[in-house]
Amino acid sequence: MGAEFLPKPSENDLSGDYQAAPVILGLLPAALVDHIATVDLSILSRIPGEPGGSFPVAAEELKDLLKEVNTHISSSPNDLSPVKTIAGGSVTNTIRGLAAGFGISCGVIGACGDDEQGALFLKNMSFYGVNISRLRVKDEHTGQAGELKREDFKGSKWLVVRYSIYNIEVINAAIQIAKQEGLLISLDLASFEMVRKFRTPLLELLESGNIDLCFANEDEAAELLSGEQVAGPEAAVDVLGKYCQWAVVTLGPHGCIARHKKEVVKVPAIGQTKAIDATGAGDLFAGGFLYGLVKGMSLEECCVIGSCSGGSVIRSLGGEVSPENWQWMYKQFKTKGLPVPIVSL
C-alpha cells in the first residue's frame, strides 16, 4: 500500500455531512486493478500495443502478460517492492487523488467483481475515504446501464468519466441520468488508440452538448484532429471548446493549455522534479483542475493546481500519491501563493 493516512471530513469537504452525497462521483463501468512494475525495455517487443497506449485484454491474456512482466522486472531502490498492485484506472486515480490530497468528498459508481481483486479495490478506495456505497459488487466485472439508479447521482456536483467504446452504453446512460440531476460532466479521452479507432462516436458524444469539461493529452489531441487542416494543442482546445465549457490539453513537461469560453491560458509545468513514472499524471492533473473549479478558482489557477497535482504523482511508481509527494505539492501551492487544502495526514 502506498500512502498511510486516511483523509477525514474537513472544511474542504463540501458535502457537509460525511454521509451526504459526494461532491464528485467517478463512473466505473468495471473497477480496475493496476499491476505496476519497473521492467527492462526489451519487454516492449514481446507484448502487443504501442508504448503509452492501452487496450483491453481477456483474463487469460492478463495472466500471460503478468508472467512476462515477472521475467523482465528491474530492481528499484526507491520502492519496497518492484511490483505494486493497487486500485487503478484513470477515473480511480482522479477520484482517489481528490479525496486523499484535496479533502473533497468523492464516491464511485458502477460495478466491482466479487473476487480477490475486487476486494483489493474496495479496500484501497475505502482506505482513502472514497465513498464506495454506490459500487455494485457482483460476479460479473462489468456493470450494465440498467443497474444505474437516479438516487445514486442526487446531490452530487460532478461526474468524472473516461471515454471507452467498450462501455459506451453505461457511459451514455450515466451521463443522461447525471444531466437530469444537474451534474456537470468531466470527460477524459482515455488514450490515443481509443480516440484513433473510435473517433466518430467520440465526436458524437462531444456534439451531444452533455460534456462540460474535456481533458486530452497531446497524443489524444493529435488523433482528435486527424484529417483536419488544423493541428496542434491550440487548435485542439479550440475544437473542444466548441462543445465544452472547459477544454484542457496537457503537454507533459511543457505544462498545459486550457480554454473556458473565450479565455485561453497556457501554464508551464510546476516545480523541478525527475519523472520516475508518468502513470496517473493526467489523472491527477484532472483532479487538481476539478478541485480548482469546485473552489471557484480562475482558469489559470485551476491549471496551476492541476500541474502541481500531476507533478506529485510522477515522483514515484504508480498512480497513488505518497504522503511525502502530497507535501511536495503543498509546498508548490505555497510558492505560487495558493491556499493549501486542509487534509488530515
Side-chain angles (χ1 to χ4, degrees):
M1 201 65 78
E4 297 185 0
F5 64 90
L6 178 61
K8 297 178 176 61
S10 69
E11 68 181 34
N12 289 305
D13 185 340
L14 305 183
S15 65
D17 179 1
Y18 194 53
Q19 299 302 318
V23 173
I24 300 179
L25 284 173
L27 178 66
L28 299 175
L32 303 175
V33 170
D34 278 353
H35 302 277
I36 307 157
T38 303
V39 296
D40 61 76
L41 288 176
S42 64
I43 192 175
L44 296 181
S45 64
R46 305 177 64 86
I47 60 176
E50 300 178 50
S54 65
F55 58 94
V57 296
E60 288 303 315
E61 292 178 280
L62 176 60
K63 290 181 181 179
D64 292 338
L65 283 171
L66 291 176
K67 287 180 182 178
E68 192 70 43
V69 165
N70 285 332
T71 64
H72 289 78
I73 287 177
S74 302
S75 61
S76 175
N78 297 320
D79 295 285
L80 296 177
S81 170
V83 180
K84 285 185 178 181
T85 302
I86 60 172
S90 176
V91 172
T92 295
N93 292 338
T94 298
I95 293 298
R96 179 175 53 209
L98 276 161
F102 293 95
I104 296 293
S105 64
C106 293
V108 284
I109 187 169
C112 180
D114 187 12
D115 55 18
E116 182 179 351
Q117 293 201 24
L120 185 152
F121 182 94
L122 295 173
K123 181 180 179 180
N124 184 244
M125 296 299 275
S126 296
F127 181 82
Y128 289 103
V130 175
N131 187 318
I132 59 173
S133 65
R134 293 161 179 77
L135 204 60
R136 273 65 174 172
V137 179
K138 46 189 286 187
D139 292 335
E140 296 180 10
H141 286 250
T142 304
Q144 305 298 317
E147 295 171 342
L148 298 171
K149 298 180 180 180
R150 287 191 64 154
E151 54 263 34
D152 289 337
F153 296 80
K154 287 185 181 298
S156 294
K157 305 301 182 185
W158 280 90
L159 176 67
V160 176
V161 179
R162 180 180 190 266
Y163 177 61
S164 171
I165 196 67
Y166 308 110
N167 305 117
I168 197 66
E169 289 186 8
V170 176
I171 290 171
N172 284 333
I175 289 174
Q176 289 299 322
I177 297 173
K179 297 307 288 187
Q180 291 169 8
E181 292 298 325
L183 277 71
L184 296 168
I185 310 296
S186 172
L187 176 70
D188 182 277
L189 294 195
S191 75
F192 63 85
E193 292 168 319
M194 188 66 67
V195 178
R196 178 191 301 164
K197 296 177 181 178
F198 306 105
R199 183 170 175 267
T200 298
L202 171 59
L203 288 173
E204 291 174 353
L205 179 58
L206 292 169
E207 290 167 356
S208 71
N210 287 329
I211 307 303
D212 299 284
L213 165 61
C214 188
F215 293 100
N217 63 29
E218 281 187 279
D219 293 335
E220 294 155 4
E223 292 295 342
L224 182 69
L225 298 179
S226 177
E228 301 288 338
Q229 293 182 342
V230 294
E234 292 82 0
V237 294
D238 287 343
V239 170
L240 290 171
K242 295 178 182 178
Y243 309 118
C244 312
Q245 291 189 57
W246 297 274
V248 185
V249 176
T250 55
L251 308 174
H254 303 294
C256 71
I257 182 170
R259 182 185 184 103
H260 175 50
K261 297 181 180 178
K262 294 183 178 181
E263 181 186 7
V264 178
V265 300
K266 190 169 184 179
V267 172
I270 305 298
Q272 297 297 318
T273 184
K274 181 180 178 181
I276 302 298
D277 177 18
T279 300
D283 309 329
L284 270 294
F285 178 98
F289 192 94
L290 278 164
Y291 170 78
L293 288 183
V294 167
K295 287 293 189 177
M297 296 184 180
S298 69
L299 182 62
E300 183 173 1
E301 288 172 327
C302 290
C303 289
V304 171
I305 293 172
S307 186
C308 292
S309 181
S312 71
V313 75
I314 65 174
R315 296 164 58 82
S316 60
L317 192 65
E320 189 177 38
V321 182
S322 69
E324 294 77 17
N325 288 333
W326 283 131
Q327 292 296 343
W328 176 89
M329 183 186 77
Y330 300 149
K331 288 180 181 178
Q332 308 308 312
F333 282 11
K334 292 178 181 178
T335 300
K336 296 296 179 180
L338 293 168
V340 176
I342 299 176
V343 180
S344 299
L345 302 184

